[in-house]
DNA sequence: TGACTTTTTATACGAACGTTCAGATAGTTT
DNA sequence: AAACTATCTGAACGTTCGTATAAAAAGTCA
């Protein structure tokens, strides 16, 4: 079930063979990703990560460095892929003649819903890890450099549709859009609780209502 | 500056005098509230809370019990007040002839923005603590019983305006509304980063754009 | 094969953790 | 004043934490 990861190995040998420890390293990072996503940085111990990845304690330090370094490595690992997906969605839209606000929001949101809904549990873990961090200003300086550039590209594209809109209102609307998007990934529980029926199983099941909500809110907020 | 707390003391003596340790207990709970809000449950040590409240280590245990108990006490302490504010807002609306969706959303989110913007740093801390917890399914079972009843009252009021709307879509829209509301309290930083200008200083400054966004999104999502 | 590098094991260290408690202190009641 | 209860102090307990490291094992290259 685990599809091949699209994360480049750190140091491939010139002849193409990966270094010996690369498999172990991936196992450690994957386990760390799952643990950090499940309970957050502080609640996870190196020993838990070691047990989860099936290696001994020292190996985690050998491949991951300090706990802080390990955490930042996990954070950084998949951002480029996610950014690329979002940029591709945007480029694809630009090929069309008429682009709506709904198209743009859908293009921004769907890659994230997509990876959170994939079969690959690692991508799901990463999506949940991000959801855990956005509510914490401690990690913003780090996230800023990784995610804001693409967000600004989308803001620029939206600004073409609404040239007279206040930039600050648009930035706020985008932040609210992201918060809505992430809340869907972070918790499926509450929607179940508030409506009688069981909610969709995967984040992708919320794609339509999410785009509706965010686009409707966005348009209303900036006018 | 610290205005009198509206939290009832635990065990007032029959003659009205508070028990001796009640002041200390409040100091401990306040300090715990600030610490938990700042960095989350796991990153805070009892010793930090003791230092923050200016008492010795044992006193924290004496008044707060175990760390888990202390945390749950802090969580529970202010919920009734917040629920009361929201119920009062709703009751005030019902006195009016015509109530709009905007009115209802404003009535729901304003008490929260209000306490997060107050001078009292303890209410601000509590608001941020809540923001930290909603993204964590571990605490949902606990939060559910405290907050969902009032949320359901608002859902019912909205349902009166839109009798034909799908309950599940409405529940989803409310969850997205709450997520938007909380994201404003959780982080002021990103909006600054995405627009050039500095953002409003307090959450209340976002009241209008937030109501616009959520009401516009809500109406669009359920139709 | 033997020298060399990379990886893994097993263990240890000091620090910090949550919790407990006997005894000191202070306030209240008789 | 004496007995009593509530509160606080200071120190200790056993555990777990992150990190470091010497030595063993495995793999690579001459």
């Amino acid at each position: 079930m685990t599809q091949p990861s699209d994360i480049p190995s750190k140091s491939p040998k010139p002849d193409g063979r990966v270094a010996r420890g690369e498999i172990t390293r991936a196992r450690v990072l994957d386990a760390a990703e799952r643990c950090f996503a499940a309970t957050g940085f502080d609640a996870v111990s190196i020993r838990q990560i070691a047990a989860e990845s099936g290696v001994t304690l020292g190996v985690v330090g050998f491949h991951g460095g300090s706990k802080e370094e390990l955490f930042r490595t996990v954070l950084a690992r998949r951002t480029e892929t996610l950014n690329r997906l979002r940029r591709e969605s945007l480029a694809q839209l630009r090929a069309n003649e008429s682009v709506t606000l709904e198209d743009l929001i859908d293009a921004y949101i769907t890659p994230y819903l997509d990876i959170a809904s994939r079969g690959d549990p690692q991508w799901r873990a990463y999506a949940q890890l991000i959801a855990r961090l956005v509510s914490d200003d401690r990690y913003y300086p780090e996230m800023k450099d990784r995610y804001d550039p693409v967000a600004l590209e989308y803001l620029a594209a939206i600004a073409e549709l609404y040239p007279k809109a206040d930039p600050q209102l648009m930035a706020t609307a985008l932040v609210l859009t992201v918060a809505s998007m992430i809340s869907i990934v972070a918790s499926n529980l509450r929607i179940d609780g508030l409506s009688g029926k069981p909610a969709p199983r995967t984040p992708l099941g919320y794609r339509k209502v999410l785009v509706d909500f965010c686009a409707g809110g966005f348009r209303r907020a900036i006018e």
Side-chain angles (χ1 to χ4, degrees), chain A:
Chain A
M1 177 86 277
T2 41
Q3 55 218 59
S5 174
D6 36 358
I7 292 175
S9 62
K10 182 174 126 197
S11 58
K13 289 292 179 63
D15 57 10
R17 279 173 304 158
V18 295
R20 269 194 291 143
E22 213 55 35
I23 297 107
T24 311
R25 180 185 144 92
R27 281 243 302 276
V28 169
L29 292 183
D30 284 353
E33 195 171 46
R34 292 194 299 273
C35 290
F36 286 141
T39 54
F41 179 82
D42 298 296
V44 173
S45 71
I46 305 283
R47 284 167 178 83
Q48 280 178 43
I49 296 174
E52 176 79 13
S53 37
V55 302
T56 52
L57 183 59
V59 175
V60 178
F62 180 76
H63 285 293
S66 75
K67 188 181 178 185
E68 194 97 19
E69 285 169 353
L70 176 58
F71 186 69
R72 296 189 188 282
T73 302
V74 166
L75 273 193
R77 215 168 37 138
R78 304 186 190 270
T79 43
E80 272 320 306
T81 303
L82 185 52
N83 282 337
R84 181 173 48 75
L85 291 174
R86 282 187 172 137
R87 284 201 167 100
E88 286 172 2
S89 297
L90 184 58
Q92 226 166 352
L93 276 188
R94 291 205 187 275
N96 297 0
E97 304 183 355
S98 63
V99 176
T100 67
L101 177 62
E102 280 76 6
D103 295 332
L104 285 166
I105 289 181
D106 185 68
Y108 188 82
I109 284 179
T110 299
Y112 183 69
L113 297 184
D114 200 37
I115 65 169
S117 307
R118 275 201 214 181
D120 189 345
Q122 292 306 137
W123 273 105
R124 272 214 310 277
Y126 177 69
Q128 281 166 345
L129 180 57
I130 295 180
R132 191 177 282 284
L133 297 187
V134 278
S135 59
D136 201 325
D137 271 357
R138 278 184 299 174
Y139 299 107
Y140 173 69
E142 185 136 1
M143 307 287 272
K144 175 191 175 72
D145 298 332
R146 302 195 186 285
Y147 288 108
D148 280 9
V150 178
L152 285 171
E153 292 178 30
Y154 271 83
L155 267 184
I158 297 175
E160 291 180 19
L161 297 180
Y162 305 94
K164 298 183 178 176
D166 176 21
Q168 181 146 326
L169 284 181
M170 289 192 34
T172 306
L174 186 66
V175 167
L176 298 181
T177 297
V178 171
S180 302
M181 170 189 81
I182 283 176
S183 77
I184 290 296
V185 171
S187 72
N188 300 353
L189 293 183
R190 196 173 190 199
I191 297 175
D192 279 16
L194 286 179
S195 74
K197 294 179 274 184
R201 306 176 318 283
T202 67
L204 258 184
Y206 292 97
R207 179 177 177 179
K208 183 183 181 318
V209 61
L210 198 49
V211 171
D212 282 346
F213 184 88
C214 296
F218 210 112
R219 197 174 276 122
R220 171 72 178 278
I222 65 175
E223 75 188 2

